[in-house]
Amino acid sequence: MKVLIMNGSPVRNGATAEIVRIVSEQLNAANEVQSICIDDFSIGFCKGCRACHATARCVQHDDADRVMALFDEADIIVCVSPSYWADIPGQFKAFIDRCTPWCNTHEPHARLRGGKRGYAIALRTGPGMRECQRIIESIEHFYGHLKIARCGSLGLCSIEYREDVEARKDEIIEFCRRIS
């Protein structure tokens, strides 16, 4: 299986990246795994022009299509996102907004290959799960409009720094067993 793991944080070496590393390591034995960071791509904001509602293509030409090509190649997609003011980071949200050409709410729309499974991992610095659940809901809503089956999620609270992930490693590994 081809697995795509997306770091939805603009920080390439923080706690989110450490979780991506662990997930990648765990899934790599039985799968072909590729990890990407949203900040490695240049993706403009949606202009709200709705041209894609008629053409199934965005008028902008940047890396959004490249990322969606990676989504199309993958059988399993794992999006990992930290909490930025109780939701996904702006860079990740801008990417999701730019996926409107693939959204199933209008015709014509571009389509990904079928049969994809999607997983979401959310993390936050505070102790309450409510913010993690909100992030997971954002990712799962995105998956739903792309016809990616929503197959599982993990919320991790009280993680601020990369070092904080170690105490939760067993939880992450157990979650990865459900993905395989």
Side-chain angles (χ1 to χ4, degrees), residues 5-25 35-38 40 80-82 84 121 123 159-163 165 172:
I5 306 169
M6 176 182 254
N7 177 348
S9 170
V11 181
R12 291 185 183 101
N13 60 358
T16 307
E18 180 63 11
I19 293 167
V20 167
R21 185 193 68 73
I22 293 167
V23 172
S24 179
E25 187 177 272
S35 298
I36 61 173
C37 180
I38 194 68
D40 290 338
V80 185
S81 179
Y84 278 34
I121 300 175
L123 62 142
I159 295 181
E160 185 168 359
Y161 300 107
R162 185 180 190 96
E163 301 78 35
V165 175
I172 298 165

mmCIF file of all heavy atoms in Angstrom, residues 5-25 35-38 40 80-82 84 121 123 159-163 165 172:
data_model
loop_
_atom_site.group_PDB
_atom_site.id
_atom_site.type_symbol
_atom_site.label_atom_id
_atom_site.label_comp_id
_atom_site.label_asym_id
_atom_site.label_seq_id
_atom_site.Cartn_x
_atom_site.Cartn_y
_atom_site.Cartn_z
ATOM 1 N N ILE A 5 1.770 10.658 4.420
ATOM 2 C CA ILE A 5 1.612 11.274 5.731
ATOM 3 C C ILE A 5 1.906 12.758 5.573
ATOM 4 O O ILE A 5 2.987 13.138 5.130
ATOM 5 C CB ILE A 5 2.563 10.646 6.769
ATOM 6 C CG1 ILE A 5 2.383 9.129 6.804
ATOM 7 C CG2 ILE A 5 2.308 11.263 8.147
ATOM 8 C CD1 ILE A 5 3.454 8.399 7.594
ATOM 9 N N MET A 6 0.913 13.583 5.898
ATOM 10 C CA MET A 6 1.059 15.024 5.738
ATOM 11 C C MET A 6 1.210 15.716 7.084
ATOM 12 O O MET A 6 0.350 15.575 7.959
ATOM 13 C CB MET A 6 -0.133 15.626 5.008
ATOM 14 C CG MET A 6 -0.063 17.143 4.905
ATOM 15 S SD MET A 6 -1.496 17.824 4.089
ATOM 16 C CE MET A 6 -0.743 18.227 2.531
ATOM 17 N N ASN A 7 2.300 16.442 7.233
ATOM 18 C CA ASN A 7 2.501 17.310 8.388
ATOM 19 C C ASN A 7 1.778 18.612 8.064
ATOM 20 O O ASN A 7 2.213 19.364 7.189
ATOM 21 C CB ASN A 7 4.005 17.536 8.597
ATOM 22 C CG ASN A 7 4.313 18.487 9.745
ATOM 23 O OD1 ASN A 7 3.428 19.158 10.268
ATOM 24 N ND2 ASN A 7 5.570 18.552 10.121
ATOM 25 N N GLY A 8 0.681 18.877 8.751
ATOM 26 C CA GLY A 8 -0.109 20.080 8.514
ATOM 27 C C GLY A 8 0.418 21.307 9.224
ATOM 28 O O GLY A 8 -0.186 22.369 9.159
ATOM 29 N N SER A 9 1.549 21.187 9.885
ATOM 30 C CA SER A 9 2.169 22.302 10.593
ATOM 31 C C SER A 9 3.206 22.974 9.704
ATOM 32 O O SER A 9 3.901 22.298 8.944
ATOM 33 C CB SER A 9 2.861 21.788 11.863
ATOM 34 O OG SER A 9 3.649 22.800 12.452
ATOM 35 N N PRO A 10 3.363 24.288 9.830
ATOM 36 C CA PRO A 10 4.434 24.956 9.092
ATOM 37 C C PRO A 10 5.810 24.728 9.730
ATOM 38 O O PRO A 10 6.819 25.132 9.166
ATOM 39 C CB PRO A 10 4.034 26.433 9.147
ATOM 40 C CG PRO A 10 3.246 26.555 10.402
ATOM 41 C CD PRO A 10 2.510 25.244 10.545
ATOM 42 N N VAL A 11 5.853 24.042 10.868
ATOM 43 C CA VAL A 11 7.115 23.772 11.562
ATOM 44 C C VAL A 11 7.612 22.394 11.146
ATOM 45 O O VAL A 11 6.977 21.388 11.418
ATOM 46 C CB VAL A 11 6.929 23.842 13.103
ATOM 47 C CG1 VAL A 11 8.244 23.593 13.815
ATOM 48 C CG2 VAL A 11 6.342 25.194 13.505
ATOM 49 N N ARG A 12 8.757 22.366 10.505
ATOM 50 C CA ARG A 12 9.280 21.119 9.948
ATOM 51 C C ARG A 12 9.951 20.215 10.967
ATOM 52 O O ARG A 12 10.243 19.062 10.674
ATOM 53 C CB ARG A 12 10.292 21.432 8.859
ATOM 54 C CG ARG A 12 9.698 22.030 7.637
ATOM 55 C CD ARG A 12 10.779 22.197 6.574
ATOM 56 N NE ARG A 12 10.241 22.847 5.410
ATOM 57 C CZ ARG A 12 10.418 24.132 5.138
ATOM 58 N NH1 ARG A 12 11.117 24.890 5.932
ATOM 59 N NH2 ARG A 12 9.895 24.641 4.044
ATOM 60 N N ASN A 13 10.243 20.717 12.167
ATOM 61 C CA ASN A 13 11.011 19.913 13.127
ATOM 62 C C ASN A 13 10.449 19.970 14.547
ATOM 63 O O ASN A 13 11.167 19.742 15.496
ATOM 64 C CB ASN A 13 12.479 20.338 13.117
ATOM 65 C CG ASN A 13 12.648 21.806 13.503
ATOM 66 O OD1 ASN A 13 11.667 22.507 13.747
ATOM 67 N ND2 ASN A 13 13.868 22.264 13.553
ATOM 68 N N GLY A 14 9.169 20.232 14.680
ATOM 69 C CA GLY A 14 8.556 20.316 15.996
ATOM 70 C C GLY A 14 7.845 19.031 16.396
ATOM 71 O O GLY A 14 8.124 17.941 15.870
ATOM 72 N N ALA A 15 6.916 19.162 17.311
ATOM 73 C CA ALA A 15 6.180 18.004 17.828
ATOM 74 C C ALA A 15 5.385 17.295 16.731
ATOM 75 O O ALA A 15 5.342 16.066 16.680
ATOM 76 C CB ALA A 15 5.253 18.434 18.966
ATOM 77 N N THR A 16 4.758 18.052 15.846
ATOM 78 C CA THR A 16 3.989 17.441 14.761
ATOM 79 C C THR A 16 4.906 16.619 13.864
ATOM 80 O O THR A 16 4.579 15.492 13.480
ATOM 81 C CB THR A 16 3.247 18.515 13.940
ATOM 82 O OG1 THR A 16 2.484 19.333 14.834
ATOM 83 C CG2 THR A 16 2.326 17.895 12.909
ATOM 84 N N ALA A 17 6.066 17.169 13.540
ATOM 85 C CA ALA A 17 7.037 16.450 12.713
ATOM 86 C C ALA A 17 7.524 15.183 13.403
ATOM 87 O O ALA A 17 7.746 14.154 12.751
ATOM 88 C CB ALA A 17 8.220 17.353 12.380
ATOM 89 N N GLU A 18 7.655 15.218 14.717
ATOM 90 C CA GLU A 18 8.075 14.025 15.455
ATOM 91 C C GLU A 18 6.999 12.940 15.381
ATOM 92 O O GLU A 18 7.310 11.764 15.218
ATOM 93 C CB GLU A 18 8.384 14.381 16.910
ATOM 94 C CG GLU A 18 8.823 13.218 17.756
ATOM 95 C CD GLU A 18 10.131 12.559 17.324
ATOM 96 O OE1 GLU A 18 10.866 13.107 16.467
ATOM 97 O OE2 GLU A 18 10.419 11.459 17.828
ATOM 98 N N ILE A 19 5.743 13.335 15.475
ATOM 99 C CA ILE A 19 4.653 12.364 15.332
ATOM 100 C C ILE A 19 4.652 11.785 13.922
ATOM 101 O O ILE A 19 4.514 10.569 13.741
ATOM 102 C CB ILE A 19 3.296 13.009 15.690
ATOM 103 C CG1 ILE A 19 3.267 13.348 17.186
ATOM 104 C CG2 ILE A 19 2.130 12.091 15.309
ATOM 105 C CD1 ILE A 19 2.134 14.260 17.597
ATOM 106 N N VAL A 20 4.832 12.630 12.926
ATOM 107 C CA VAL A 20 4.915 12.159 11.538
ATOM 108 C C VAL A 20 6.061 11.151 11.396
ATOM 109 O O VAL A 20 5.910 10.114 10.744
ATOM 110 C CB VAL A 20 5.082 13.341 10.559
ATOM 111 C CG1 VAL A 20 5.476 12.865 9.166
ATOM 112 C CG2 VAL A 20 3.800 14.170 10.500
ATOM 113 N N ARG A 21 7.182 11.433 12.022
ATOM 114 C CA ARG A 21 8.342 10.538 11.951
ATOM 115 C C ARG A 21 7.995 9.169 12.544
ATOM 116 O O ARG A 21 8.283 8.135 11.948
ATOM 117 C CB ARG A 21 9.546 11.138 12.678
ATOM 118 C CG ARG A 21 10.819 10.294 12.531
ATOM 119 C CD ARG A 21 11.907 10.722 13.497
ATOM 120 N NE ARG A 21 11.569 10.445 14.885
ATOM 121 C CZ ARG A 21 11.552 9.236 15.442
ATOM 122 N NH1 ARG A 21 11.835 8.161 14.742
ATOM 123 N NH2 ARG A 21 11.232 9.093 16.725
ATOM 124 N N ILE A 22 7.356 9.167 13.700
ATOM 125 C CA ILE A 22 6.994 7.905 14.358
ATOM 126 C C ILE A 22 6.000 7.117 13.501
ATOM 127 O O ILE A 22 6.160 5.912 13.299
ATOM 128 C CB ILE A 22 6.421 8.163 15.772
ATOM 129 C CG1 ILE A 22 7.507 8.721 16.688
ATOM 130 C CG2 ILE A 22 5.805 6.891 16.352
ATOM 131 C CD1 ILE A 22 6.990 9.298 17.996
ATOM 132 N N VAL A 23 4.983 7.795 12.990
ATOM 133 C CA VAL A 23 3.990 7.130 12.147
ATOM 134 C C VAL A 23 4.659 6.562 10.898
ATOM 135 O O VAL A 23 4.431 5.412 10.520
ATOM 136 C CB VAL A 23 2.834 8.088 11.785
ATOM 137 C CG1 VAL A 23 1.891 7.466 10.753
ATOM 138 C CG2 VAL A 23 2.064 8.508 13.034
ATOM 139 N N SER A 24 5.505 7.336 10.286
ATOM 140 C CA SER A 24 6.219 6.889 9.092
ATOM 141 C C SER A 24 7.064 5.654 9.390
ATOM 142 O O SER A 24 7.033 4.669 8.636
ATOM 143 C CB SER A 24 7.100 8.021 8.564
ATOM 144 O OG SER A 24 7.804 7.618 7.429
ATOM 145 N N GLU A 25 7.777 5.709 10.476
ATOM 146 C CA GLU A 25 8.618 4.577 10.892
ATOM 147 C C GLU A 25 7.779 3.319 11.122
ATOM 148 O O GLU A 25 8.141 2.225 10.703
ATOM 149 C CB GLU A 25 9.350 4.980 12.174
ATOM 150 C CG GLU A 25 10.381 4.034 12.672
ATOM 151 C CD GLU A 25 11.057 4.610 13.905
ATOM 152 O OE1 GLU A 25 12.040 5.349 13.737
ATOM 153 O OE2 GLU A 25 10.576 4.341 15.028
ATOM 154 N N SER A 35 6.335 11.009 3.385
ATOM 155 C CA SER A 35 5.943 12.065 4.316
ATOM 156 C C SER A 35 6.216 13.417 3.673
ATOM 157 O O SER A 35 7.255 13.607 3.038
ATOM 158 C CB SER A 35 6.735 11.963 5.622
ATOM 159 O OG SER A 35 6.478 10.747 6.260
ATOM 160 N N ILE A 36 5.268 14.327 3.844
ATOM 161 C CA ILE A 36 5.437 15.686 3.334
ATOM 162 C C ILE A 36 5.054 16.675 4.422
ATOM 163 O O ILE A 36 4.323 16.346 5.355
ATOM 164 C CB ILE A 36 4.595 15.937 2.059
ATOM 165 C CG1 ILE A 36 3.097 15.761 2.338
ATOM 166 C CG2 ILE A 36 5.056 15.040 0.923
ATOM 167 C CD1 ILE A 36 2.188 16.159 1.177
ATOM 168 N N CYS A 37 5.561 17.893 4.286
ATOM 169 C CA CYS A 37 5.214 18.984 5.192
ATOM 170 C C CYS A 37 4.547 20.080 4.370
ATOM 171 O O CYS A 37 5.061 20.464 3.309
ATOM 172 C CB CYS A 37 6.472 19.521 5.880
ATOM 173 S SG CYS A 37 6.142 20.891 7.022
ATOM 174 N N ILE A 38 3.431 20.569 4.840
ATOM 175 C CA ILE A 38 2.673 21.594 4.118
ATOM 176 C C ILE A 38 3.558 22.797 3.787
ATOM 177 O O ILE A 38 3.396 23.434 2.752
ATOM 178 C CB ILE A 38 1.401 22.013 4.898
ATOM 179 C CG1 ILE A 38 0.450 22.814 3.998
ATOM 180 C CG2 ILE A 38 1.741 22.796 6.150
ATOM 181 C CD1 ILE A 38 -0.163 22.027 2.897
ATOM 182 N N ASP A 40 6.529 22.825 2.798
ATOM 183 C CA ASP A 40 7.446 22.569 1.683
ATOM 184 C C ASP A 40 6.820 22.927 0.336
ATOM 185 O O ASP A 40 7.463 22.774 -0.700
ATOM 186 C CB ASP A 40 7.869 21.094 1.670
ATOM 187 C CG ASP A 40 8.785 20.749 2.825
ATOM 188 O OD1 ASP A 40 9.429 21.655 3.382
ATOM 189 O OD2 ASP A 40 8.833 19.561 3.190
ATOM 190 N N VAL A 80 -1.653 14.949 9.934
ATOM 191 C CA VAL A 80 -1.286 15.224 11.321
ATOM 192 C C VAL A 80 -1.262 16.738 11.480
ATOM 193 O O VAL A 80 -0.562 17.432 10.732
ATOM 194 C CB VAL A 80 0.092 14.619 11.668
ATOM 195 C CG1 VAL A 80 0.393 14.806 13.147
ATOM 196 C CG2 VAL A 80 0.163 13.145 11.272
ATOM 197 N N SER A 81 -2.028 17.249 12.437
ATOM 198 C CA SER A 81 -2.138 18.698 12.582
ATOM 199 C C SER A 81 -2.101 19.129 14.039
ATOM 200 O O SER A 81 -2.779 18.553 14.881
ATOM 201 C CB SER A 81 -3.452 19.183 11.964
ATOM 202 O OG SER A 81 -3.575 20.591 12.112
ATOM 203 N N PRO A 82 -1.348 20.196 14.302
ATOM 204 C CA PRO A 82 -1.395 20.804 15.623
ATOM 205 C C PRO A 82 -2.582 21.768 15.714
ATOM 206 O O PRO A 82 -3.219 22.069 14.694
ATOM 207 C CB PRO A 82 -0.076 21.578 15.690
ATOM 208 C CG PRO A 82 0.121 22.041 14.274
ATOM 209 C CD PRO A 82 -0.388 20.881 13.432
ATOM 210 N N TYR A 84 -3.816 25.448 16.151
ATOM 211 C CA TYR A 84 -3.496 26.879 16.100
ATOM 212 C C TYR A 84 -4.821 27.580 16.406
ATOM 213 O O TYR A 84 -5.733 27.559 15.577
ATOM 214 C CB TYR A 84 -2.994 27.271 14.718
ATOM 215 C CG TYR A 84 -1.527 26.989 14.471
ATOM 216 C CD1 TYR A 84 -0.884 25.893 15.025
ATOM 217 C CD2 TYR A 84 -0.790 27.824 13.658
ATOM 218 C CE1 TYR A 84 0.459 25.639 14.780
ATOM 219 C CE2 TYR A 84 0.553 27.586 13.413
ATOM 220 C CZ TYR A 84 1.168 26.487 13.968
ATOM 221 O OH TYR A 84 2.499 26.253 13.720
ATOM 222 N N ILE A 121 -4.660 12.772 12.904
ATOM 223 C CA ILE A 121 -4.030 12.890 14.218
ATOM 224 C C ILE A 121 -3.968 14.378 14.544
ATOM 225 O O ILE A 121 -3.494 15.183 13.737
ATOM 226 C CB ILE A 121 -2.614 12.282 14.246
ATOM 227 C CG1 ILE A 121 -2.652 10.800 13.884
ATOM 228 C CG2 ILE A 121 -1.965 12.494 15.616
ATOM 229 C CD1 ILE A 121 -1.284 10.140 13.770
ATOM 230 N N LEU A 123 -2.958 17.305 17.658
ATOM 231 C CA LEU A 123 -2.254 17.526 18.915
ATOM 232 C C LEU A 123 -2.425 18.971 19.346
ATOM 233 O O LEU A 123 -2.664 19.848 18.528
ATOM 234 C CB LEU A 123 -0.766 17.180 18.776
ATOM 235 C CG LEU A 123 0.045 17.987 17.768
ATOM 236 C CD1 LEU A 123 1.435 18.250 18.323
ATOM 237 C CD2 LEU A 123 0.132 17.233 16.461
ATOM 238 N N ILE A 159 0.837 18.314 24.502
ATOM 239 C CA ILE A 159 2.077 18.198 23.731
ATOM 240 C C ILE A 159 2.402 19.570 23.161
ATOM 241 O O ILE A 159 1.678 20.090 22.310
ATOM 242 C CB ILE A 159 1.949 17.171 22.589
ATOM 243 C CG1 ILE A 159 1.743 15.781 23.169
ATOM 244 C CG2 ILE A 159 3.185 17.220 21.690
ATOM 245 C CD1 ILE A 159 1.621 14.683 22.141
ATOM 246 N N GLU A 160 3.470 20.140 23.652
ATOM 247 C CA GLU A 160 3.896 21.445 23.148
ATOM 248 C C GLU A 160 5.200 21.341 22.369
ATOM 249 O O GLU A 160 5.357 21.964 21.330
ATOM 250 C CB GLU A 160 4.068 22.435 24.295
ATOM 251 C CG GLU A 160 4.400 23.831 23.815
ATOM 252 C CD GLU A 160 4.284 24.879 24.893
ATOM 253 O OE1 GLU A 160 3.931 24.560 26.038
ATOM 254 O OE2 GLU A 160 4.554 26.052 24.574
ATOM 255 N N TYR A 161 6.116 20.553 22.882
ATOM 256 C CA TYR A 161 7.439 20.455 22.268
ATOM 257 C C TYR A 161 7.694 19.045 21.758
ATOM 258 O O TYR A 161 7.068 18.078 22.196
ATOM 259 C CB TYR A 161 8.520 20.847 23.274
ATOM 260 C CG TYR A 161 8.362 22.249 23.780
ATOM 261 C CD1 TYR A 161 7.903 22.496 25.077
ATOM 262 C CD2 TYR A 161 8.651 23.336 22.963
ATOM 263 C CE1 TYR A 161 7.744 23.789 25.536
ATOM 264 C CE2 TYR A 161 8.487 24.630 23.416
ATOM 265 C CZ TYR A 161 8.038 24.860 24.707
ATOM 266 O OH TYR A 161 7.870 26.136 25.152
ATOM 267 N N ARG A 162 8.646 18.945 20.891
ATOM 268 C CA ARG A 162 9.051 17.661 20.314
ATOM 269 C C ARG A 162 9.312 16.619 21.400
ATOM 270 O O ARG A 162 8.924 15.464 21.271
ATOM 271 C CB ARG A 162 10.297 17.920 19.457
ATOM 272 C CG ARG A 162 10.789 16.748 18.707
ATOM 273 C CD ARG A 162 12.048 17.141 17.892
ATOM 274 N NE ARG A 162 12.374 16.072 17.007
ATOM 275 C CZ ARG A 162 12.007 15.991 15.743
ATOM 276 N NH1 ARG A 162 11.284 16.953 15.206
ATOM 277 N NH2 ARG A 162 12.355 14.959 15.011
ATOM 278 N N GLU A 163 9.950 17.040 22.481
ATOM 279 C CA GLU A 163 10.293 16.129 23.576
ATOM 280 C C GLU A 163 9.058 15.557 24.265
ATOM 281 O O GLU A 163 9.109 14.481 24.857
ATOM 282 C CB GLU A 163 11.158 16.847 24.622
ATOM 283 C CG GLU A 163 12.468 17.407 24.087
ATOM 284 C CD GLU A 163 12.308 18.712 23.308
ATOM 285 O OE1 GLU A 163 11.437 19.546 23.657
ATOM 286 O OE2 GLU A 163 13.049 18.891 22.318
ATOM 287 N N VAL A 165 6.477 14.351 22.925
ATOM 288 C CA VAL A 165 5.898 13.255 22.144
ATOM 289 C C VAL A 165 6.336 11.904 22.698
ATOM 290 O O VAL A 165 5.565 10.932 22.666
ATOM 291 C CB VAL A 165 6.266 13.395 20.650
ATOM 292 C CG1 VAL A 165 5.772 12.204 19.848
ATOM 293 C CG2 VAL A 165 5.709 14.702 20.086
ATOM 294 N N ILE A 172 0.733 6.343 19.980
ATOM 295 C CA ILE A 172 0.887 6.566 18.544
ATOM 296 C C ILE A 172 1.144 5.237 17.838
ATOM 297 O O ILE A 172 0.554 4.956 16.787
ATOM 298 C CB ILE A 172 2.017 7.579 18.274
ATOM 299 C CG1 ILE A 172 1.664 8.936 18.910
ATOM 300 C CG2 ILE A 172 2.267 7.730 16.770
ATOM 301 C CD1 ILE A 172 2.833 9.905 19.020
#
